[in-house]
Amino acid sequence: MQSPPTTPSKRNTSPSLFFRCLDLVLPWLTPQELAMASLTCTTLCNLSKSITLRRASDASRSLEPHPIPFRNSLDQHPYAYFIYTPSSLTPSSSSSSLLRQPWGSSHYESDSDTRTETSSLRFVDESGNCASSGCECAETCEDGKEGCPCVVGFAGFDGVVFECGPSCGCRLSCGNRLTQTGIQVKLKIVRDRRKGWGLYADQFIPKGRFVCEYAGELLTTKESRLRQEMYDELSSGGHFSPALLVVREHLPSKKACLRLNIDATRIGNVSRFINHSCDGGNLSTALVRSSGALLPRLCFFASDDIKVDEELTFSYGETRLNSKGLRCFCASSCCVGILPSEQT
């Protein structure tokens, strides 16, 4: 007797495989897309909730040594959505590869080699080859002791920290690469009723300790001005906070300066949540140059001992050209009431 044909409903039925596929797809969705998917059925609703919880548990998407959680007891915003990069990106790499980024999958694990370096922009010789200007130390430079040429740095650059770079023979464990191993201190992102999100210490941070670098998209001056015009218009409603930072480094000749435009509004790291303080805050900034790298990086160091649960802040500057700019809520004794603004 011939057996009955298999009905389509019984073919390739594997609920566990179906759920695994969903867990791979849903983390690529934006919050709005994820919310729409959660309305489809109970299964998608439950998966969306678990993804939201995982997103809130680590803003860095496992790209940093420690998870950096969101904490919010004020409203219904569990996290802030943005594309994460540990180090700054050039426009070509950010536009082509980071239109979306997986975030929230229970199977997603970062690759230790995914850290992107600003130092990918290197000095080249007349033939177009990378100029090797790093040290030849085998594994470590013994915490910057004499003998390592990188300690000497670039003659004439004042107030700049010098480290080993991509052309050096030493490893990341070298004592002269303190800002190149990710965020080693424990941090958290906390929701404030007036400021919005802010970055806080989740451990004691001693004075002088490296905290993080300011990472985002590296823009040309023309592009940064165009974005600033757009951000000013969006900020006029009071519900948009841009994170475009302009850094100027005076060259040894004192006749020119290098302008660095870093936009962490759409693509950046947790430094985008550091708020301004009119009294200078508890973080100091320093330009860090690595041997063989063309551009410096802006890094934050603790300017004083920082206690657990203390907010991390620094001064955005002193110039305030817009008398109707965004309000400042730093609550310091010298608070001006308006966030710094200048012509970019």
Side-chain angles (χ1 to χ4, degrees):
M1 183 178 178
Q2 187 177 4
S3 59
T6 305
T7 61
S9 60
K10 295 182 179 180
R11 290 179 183 173
N12 303 323
T13 347
S14 176
S16 59
L17 177 61
F18 175 68
F19 295 149
R20 285 199 299 269
C21 290
L22 286 177
D23 195 38
L24 292 174
V25 173
L26 294 181
W28 290 88
L29 303 184
T30 64
Q32 294 77 14
E33 293 168 342
L34 192 63
M36 291 297 294
S38 67
L39 300 176
T40 306
C41 64
T42 303
T43 299
L44 284 176
C45 180
N46 292 334
L47 285 174
S48 298
K49 287 181 179 178
S50 65
I51 288 173
T52 297
L53 289 175
R54 286 194 290 268
R55 287 183 176 183
S57 68
D58 185 13
S60 75
R61 300 150 175 77
S62 300
L63 292 174
E64 299 290 357
H66 303 288
I68 304 174
F70 290 92
R71 296 284 185 262
N72 183 7
S73 59
L74 299 177
D75 53 39
Q76 300 301 314
H77 295 87
Y79 61 89
Y81 185 81
F82 65 105
I83 304 298
Y84 198 93
T85 177
S87 296
S88 292
L89 301 170
T90 58
S92 58
S93 58
S94 63
S95 61
S96 61
S97 62
L98 284 180
L99 295 176
R100 287 181 182 266
Q101 185 181 45
W103 187 19
S105 171
S106 59
H107 303 288
Y108 176 71
E109 294 181 0
S110 67
D111 187 342
S112 58
D113 295 330
T114 57
R115 291 190 59 83
T116 307
E117 296 182 273
T118 307
S119 54
S120 57
L121 298 177
R122 307 181 184 183
F123 288 109
V124 296
D125 56 26
E126 296 179 354
S127 303
N129 299 316
C130 289
S132 179
S133 58
C135 65
E136 297 180 358
C137 304
E139 292 187 3
T140 177
C141 300
E142 299 182 2
D143 298 333
K145 293 182 179 180
E146 294 183 4
C148 177
C150 298
V151 179
V152 178
F154 295 11
F157 283 86
D158 298 326
V160 179
V161 177
F162 302 100
E163 294 187 341
C164 296
S167 301
C168 296
C170 57
R171 299 180 178 179
L172 279 177
S173 57
C174 170
N176 200 34
R177 293 179 181 267
L178 294 179
T179 69
Q180 300 175 34
T181 56
I183 302 175
Q184 297 291 338
V185 295
K186 293 182 179 180
L187 306 172
K188 58 186 175 183
I189 304 164
V190 180
R191 186 80 167 174
D192 181 84
R193 190 174 302 279
R194 295 183 300 176
K195 297 181 183 179
W197 296 108
L199 191 63
Y200 286 70
D202 208 18
Q203 68 166 74
F204 171 76
I205 304 176
K207 180 179 180 178
R209 179 76 182 271
F210 167 67
V211 177
C212 62
E213 70 172 274
Y214 196 89
E217 296 177 271
L218 294 172
L219 306 178
T220 63
T221 297
K222 179 180 180 181
E223 179 63 26
S224 70
R225 287 172 176 166
L226 290 174
R227 288 200 187 184
Q228 188 61 59
E229 290 178 5
M230 177 180 65
Y231 294 159
D232 287 343
E233 184 176 348
L234 292 172
S235 300
S236 61
H239 300 289
F240 179 79
S241 299
L244 174 58
L245 190 66
V246 177
V247 183
R248 295 176 176 87
E249 177 189 25
H250 290 279
L251 301 180
S253 66
K254 307 299 182 182
K255 297 180 180 179
C257 71
L258 173 67
R259 174 179 167 135
L260 202 62
N261 309 290
I262 312 174
D263 187 5
T265 306
R266 186 177 69 93
I267 302 175
N269 67 350
V270 294
S271 64
R272 69 197 296 276
F273 297 108
I274 303 177
N275 287 314
H276 164 78
S277 181
C278 293
D279 64 3
N282 50 20
L283 295 178
S284 60
T285 57
L287 286 175
V288 178
R289 281 193 169 275
S290 301
S291 297
L294 178 60
L295 298 177
R297 294 178 296 121
L298 182 68
C299 294
F300 294 99
F301 297 83
S303 58
D304 203 348
D305 288 344
I306 301 174
K307 301 176 182 178
V308 180
D309 297 330
E310 185 177 345
E311 184 180 9
L312 305 181
T313 58
F314 78 109
S315 174
Y316 290 1
E318 298 181 356
T319 306
R320 291 171 173 82
L321 297 181
N322 187 358
S323 59
K324 297 182 180 179
L326 295 175
R327 293 183 61 189
C328 177
F329 298 106
C330 70
S332 66
S333 58
C334 57
C335 181
V336 179
I338 301 174
L339 289 177
S341 61
E342 61 177 295
Q343 296 290 348
T344 58

